[in-house]
Amino acid sequence: MLGGAAAVCAVALVAYLLWPTWGTSGANAPDKLPVSVGGTLFNLPTTAIRMKIQRHSGPQERIDLDFLYPSLEPPGTPKHVSADTVDASLLPIDRIFLSIAAHHDALSPEQRTATIYPRYLEPGATMPEDGLTMRMFRADTPYGSEDLYSAASPALTARCTRDAATPGMCLSERRVGGADLTFRFPRSWLSQWRDAAEAMEKLTAQLRGPKS
């Protein structure tokens, strides 16, 4: 009984954390905002920005967005969810989440994949889908509840939590100029991993501002 209650609480918490935090845009709100993160320019759909405090143009340290999947359109205005209706409102996650943050010359995602992750991986790999390699992290490591997925064409590297009380989620990072882009999406999407990889590539390209 306690396990069931814990699972319900965990699901409710995920629903709360993933629920968009922006409000209805004003009539004069622009469709897109030019935002500079780490000195790199992005043109961001206003309604995709999850936090109202981030919905302004100019330099920002970090910005959080989400897009409907697979259309990659900004989401519409969210419906109100109360504690009484949260269970009924829980649907499969139909959006991809993106955080853009200045990296300040920290270790790049590519360097972490090449030099840090291999220290923590179990030997051997599996091929659950055509062209997609999976390696488990050892249980005694900081990534002990995760697996590392990688593919060459289209390129994909993702750390994914395993399904438990809540569905597994994947994190995939890439560096663009002075910013690191961190995508989050359900692990279940890896059954069509090429579509997920191409969606991240498309979003990265369409959000970029003019290149200097």
Side-chain angles (χ1 to χ4, degrees):
M1 184 174 180
L2 289 176
V8 170
C9 290
V11 171
L13 178 61
V14 168
Y16 172 77
L17 291 175
L18 296 184
W19 203 257
T21 54
W22 46 268
T24 304
S25 298
N28 297 322
D31 291 336
K32 290 190 176 183
L33 291 172
V35 174
S36 173
V37 180
T40 301
L41 182 63
F42 298 89
N43 285 323
L44 306 178
T46 305
T47 56
I49 300 173
R50 302 189 68 221
M51 300 179 67
K52 185 175 181 180
I53 195 172
Q54 296 176 337
R55 239 185 297 138
H56 63 83
S57 59
Q60 298 203 47
E61 182 68 17
R62 172 187 169 127
I63 196 158
D64 300 284
L65 310 102
D66 63 346
F67 298 86
L68 297 176
Y69 183 86
S71 71
L72 304 184
E73 294 293 327
T77 303
K79 297 178 181 178
H80 177 71
V81 177
S82 67
D84 295 330
T85 61
V86 64
D87 287 339
S89 69
L90 289 179
L91 297 171
I93 298 173
D94 63 349
R95 59 192 65 195
I96 185 167
F97 299 88
L98 170 61
S99 296
I100 304 174
H103 59 67
H104 301 296
D105 295 322
L107 202 66
S108 72
E110 294 78 12
Q111 289 173 313
R112 281 198 297 275
T113 299
T115 64
I116 302 298
Y117 296 159
R119 307 175 191 176
Y120 300 122
L121 291 167
E122 295 278 9
T126 61
M127 301 282 286
E129 296 291 339
D130 181 37
L132 182 66
T133 300
M134 186 196 81
R135 295 189 65 182
M136 298 177 64
F137 285 100
R138 298 196 315 274
D140 60 343
T141 71
Y143 311 106
S145 62
E146 301 180 19
D147 300 315
L148 181 67
Y149 286 87
S150 60
S153 183
L156 173 68
T157 301
R159 276 180 24 225
C160 302
T161 58
R162 297 165 193 149
D163 292 333
T166 56
M169 293 291 290
C170 293
L171 179 154
S172 183
E173 301 170 288
R174 62 190 65 198
R175 178 158 292 183
V176 176
D180 281 348
L181 279 62
T182 302
F183 293 92
R184 293 177 176 82
F185 57 91
R187 180 177 176 136
S188 61
W189 290 5
L190 291 177
S191 62
Q192 302 291 331
W193 67 269
R194 287 184 174 85
D195 293 341
E198 289 169 358
M200 289 185 284
E201 187 65 28
K202 183 177 180 180
L203 272 178
T204 300
Q206 72 184 32
L207 297 180
R208 286 298 311 274
K211 299 178 178 63
S212 56

